Amino acid sequence: MTYFFETYGCQMNIAESAAAEQMFIARGWTKADDVQKADAVIINTCSVRATAENRIFGRLGYFQGLKQLRSGDPKAKQKSLEIAAEYVKNGAKPLTVIVMGCMAERLLDSLKKDYPVIDYVVGTFAKGQFGKIIQEIETNSEPGELNDDIKYEFSSLSYEQGSFTSFVPIMHGCNNFCTYCIVPYVRGREVSRNLNEILKELDVLSGYGVKEITLLGQNVNSYHGNVDGSDLDFPGLLTEICRHLDKTKSSIEWVRFVSSHPKDLSDRLIKVIAEENRLCHHIHLPVQHGSSRILKEMNRRYSREDYLALVERIKKEIPDVSLTTDIMIGFPGETEQDVELTLDLMKTVRYESAFMYYYNLRDGTPAATMENQIDVEEKKSRLQKIIDLQLVITSEEMAKRVGNVEKVLVQSVSRDNESELLGKTQRDESVVFLCDKSMIGKFVNVKLDVLNGNTFRGTIVN
């Protein structure tokens, strides 16, 4: 039997799709090369923005047509479903549609009722029941009820087959309650993963030849575990991981992490990043806004001055650090002066790149009921100013690195030229260069010859 995953949203969703995929593989299922040929489609959803949910609703309409065709409904429209129609002729089984992730949790009680095309709604706390779901599909049983009122459990492995990089979840949930954010309501309170479980997964990944890992959490630097009965914070976890990788002579050479909350990024963490060779000198540090007044309304728990002082300490201890960020424009009550403060902060910090977006109202969050909501067109206009400035800063900062020789992890064949390979630097920058395909999954030294957009073109050196 075959499966197909469609994953939307953050890196955590990518990791959780990979973990669920492991359960299908363990039962002997194979990945379909086209969604129209799958026996089960799993849609991993995001609720952070309304636009993400609207995309899912559109896809459910598509799968409704696909499911009708697969079930032999004579009224099914075959437009854009030619592959499935041919598949049906060869005796295809009915299609099972599974929706998981944050949107599934948010609409847990209504989604299946409103969209009958869905067979299973798997909330964020019910992912461990995929074994039950798979068995029901294999035996053509009617979909049973899932228990979503259970304690969150981490998957043992979040590895995508054949990959030389992997996500490793270390904590789940969020206690911050930023006023615009739905995450605490769909992910729950913070839960940290046991150190021994993390190290076991790293050993498995090393056995697969993985070269780079990214530690994941809604707020990784609020990790709080224990080792031998003693408290273990995030700097301590990173130290334990690096010592373990050294001791086991692991294939994993690079360790990254996302996402960091500025209020929890300690001086001790900065020192650990500076001292440990395996930790990449790239920090994603979401600022969200440059106005202290707006940051307070967002409940971010730091001021503009706090953030800039933190950046100064980071750059002092890690001079070659690459900083990236998230910026939200158009929060309720934002003024043109607040936008100017954000532009000024960007000029001061000089991020290498940024994820920039305008505020999306999310029902159930405090910001949704705030006064002075901003018109969408005005939000778009303000966001364009942010984007235009960041494009200039990105180009200027990356151009400074032309001529450098960098260690690069070779990841894949370039989509634009099959004779070239694509890799990335420790600073998470993309590089394309001529190289034999046998080097995929290995580290090479590359001279950065020229900058083309946000991608370097380079030449391999000894």
Side-chain angles (χ1 to χ4, degrees):
M1 300 185 73
T2 58
Y3 64 86
F4 195 95
F5 277 82
E6 287 193 2
T7 303
Y8 301 85
C10 66
Q11 295 99 326
M12 185 66 83
N13 272 11
I14 295 173
E16 290 175 345
S17 287
E21 184 178 15
Q22 292 290 329
M23 299 188 197
F24 283 92
I25 294 171
R27 299 280 301 216
W29 288 51
T30 57
K31 184 176 181 179
D33 58 9
D34 189 287
V35 67
Q36 296 187 28
K37 296 181 181 180
D39 295 310
V41 173
I42 307 93
I43 310 168
N44 198 346
T45 62
C46 175
S47 264
V48 172
R49 282 172 289 281
T51 49
E53 290 194 352
N54 289 336
R55 288 181 67 189
I56 304 303
F57 292 136
R59 291 301 286 166
L60 290 175
Y62 171 83
F63 288 120
Q64 176 65 50
L66 180 56
K67 194 167 189 176
Q68 287 177 325
L69 179 63
R70 290 280 291 273
S71 63
D73 187 340
K75 296 181 181 179
K77 297 179 180 180
Q78 295 190 21
K79 185 179 179 181
S80 78
L81 296 175
E82 294 85 357
I83 295 174
E86 187 64 31
Y87 193 46
V88 168
K89 292 179 182 178
N90 296 326
K93 292 184 177 182
L95 176 66
T96 299
V97 176
I98 305 166
V99 177
M100 64 182 290
C102 290
M103 179 179 167
E105 183 68 28
R106 190 176 82 83
L107 303 175
L108 195 63
D109 298 327
S110 62
L111 194 57
K112 190 173 179 180
K113 181 172 63 176
D114 294 341
Y115 291 86
V117 63
I118 301 171
D119 296 289
Y120 295 93
V121 178
V122 184
T124 55
F125 292 86
K127 296 186 298 295
Q129 297 186 60
F130 262 102
K132 174 181 181 294
I133 294 171
I134 295 169
Q135 186 176 28
E136 289 179 353
I137 298 172
E138 291 173 341
T139 58
N140 294 317
S141 302
E142 286 294 317
E145 292 296 321
L146 300 180
N147 179 14
D148 198 63
D149 187 23
I150 54 179
K151 181 181 177 181
Y152 182 83
E153 292 185 0
F154 291 92
S155 300
S156 60
L157 186 64
S158 302
Y159 173 68
E160 292 188 71
Q161 285 190 311
S163 178
F164 296 98
T165 66
S166 186
F167 293 122
V168 178
I170 64 163
M171 60 89 63
H172 179 270
C174 184
N175 294 347
N176 290 313
F177 288 92
C178 298
T179 56
Y180 54 83
C181 187
I182 196 73
V183 168
Y185 305 97
V186 294
R187 291 279 183 177
R189 303 296 78 78
E190 292 175 356
V191 180
S192 295
R193 190 177 179 190
N194 180 275
L195 171 64
N196 289 333
E197 291 180 8
I198 297 171
L199 299 184
K200 285 179 182 178
E201 181 167 3
L202 299 187
D203 291 342
V204 173
L205 294 175
S206 183
Y208 286 127
V210 167
K211 299 297 194 300
E212 173 195 83
I213 59 166
T214 301
L215 306 177
L216 290 185
Q218 273 70 47
N219 179 17
V220 289
N221 44 10
S222 66
Y223 175 89
H224 184 76
N226 68 80
V227 56
D228 298 329
S230 300
D231 289 340
L232 183 68
D233 60 8
F234 188 56
L237 174 67
L238 290 179
T239 301
E240 289 284 345
I241 286 174
C242 290
R243 294 291 171 271
H244 181 79
L245 297 179
D246 289 342
K247 181 179 178 180
T248 59
K249 296 181 171 54
S250 174
S251 67
I252 300 167
E253 294 191 32
W254 283 355
V255 178
R256 304 180 186 275
F257 57 87
V258 289
S259 274
S260 291
H261 196 299
K263 74 177 180 62
D264 296 317
L265 204 151
S266 65
D267 290 345
R268 182 160 158 257
L269 176 55
I270 297 171
K271 184 176 178 62
V272 170
I273 297 169
E275 293 178 349
E276 294 290 348
N277 293 331
R278 294 181 191 263
L279 298 180
C280 293
H281 288 183
H282 167 242
I283 301 175
H284 187 72
L285 193 63
V287 65
Q288 301 301 352
H289 212 278
S291 162
S292 292
R293 183 181 69 84
I294 295 296
L295 289 171
K296 184 176 181 179
E297 291 295 313
M298 289 178 168
N299 193 35
R300 292 291 289 173
R301 304 187 217 177
Y302 56 84
S303 67
R304 167 194 178 90
E305 292 73 25
D306 294 334
Y307 186 92
L308 289 174
L310 173 61
V311 168
E312 185 176 353
R313 295 197 300 275
I314 291 172
K315 289 186 174 183
K316 181 179 179 180
E317 290 293 328
I318 315 170
D320 63 337
V321 71
S322 166
L323 291 176
T324 57
T325 197
D326 296 342
I327 298 175
M328 176 196 292
I329 288 298
F331 189 79
E334 179 190 77
T335 65
E336 288 288 351
Q337 183 180 9
D338 294 321
V339 177
E340 290 300 318
L341 284 169
T342 303
L343 292 167
D344 181 71
L345 182 140
M346 294 166 64
K347 293 173 185 176
T348 301
V349 178
R350 299 191 65 80
Y351 300 105
E352 189 153 311
S353 67
F355 179 67
M356 300 159 285
Y357 59 107
Y358 64 77
Y359 166 70
N360 265 218
L361 187 150
R362 295 277 69 199
D363 289 334
T365 62
T369 58
M370 288 181 177
E371 297 180 352
N372 300 318
Q373 298 285 335
I374 296 172
D375 177 75
V376 171
E377 292 306 314
E378 179 61 27
K379 286 192 280 191
K380 290 181 179 178
S381 175
R382 294 179 182 183
L383 176 61
Q384 194 59 52
K385 295 179 183 179
I386 301 295
I387 293 172
D388 290 344
L389 174 60
Q390 186 56 51
L391 288 174
V392 172
I393 294 174
T394 294
S395 179
E396 291 175 349
E397 289 302 302
M398 294 185 73
K400 294 176 183 178
R401 296 175 42 70
V402 171
N404 288 5
V405 175
E406 298 289 334
K407 184 177 180 179
V408 171
L409 175 57
V410 188
Q411 292 186 306
S412 64
V413 175
S414 170
R415 289 180 296 180
D416 299 326
N417 187 340
E418 290 189 0
S419 64
E420 293 182 325
L421 299 185
L422 175 69
K424 69 176 176 180
T425 70
Q426 188 185 90
R427 293 162 57 98
D428 208 32
E429 303 153 327
S430 295
V431 190
V432 293
F433 46 90
L434 289 171
C435 186
D436 189 86
K437 294 179 182 178
S438 64
M439 298 303 291
I440 292 176
K442 299 179 181 178
F443 289 97
V444 295
N445 291 322
V446 178
K447 181 183 178 184
L448 309 181
D449 296 324
V450 66
L451 181 64
N452 184 9
N454 290 340
T455 302
F456 290 107
R457 301 190 69 84
T459 307
I460 286 190
V461 298
N462 291 330

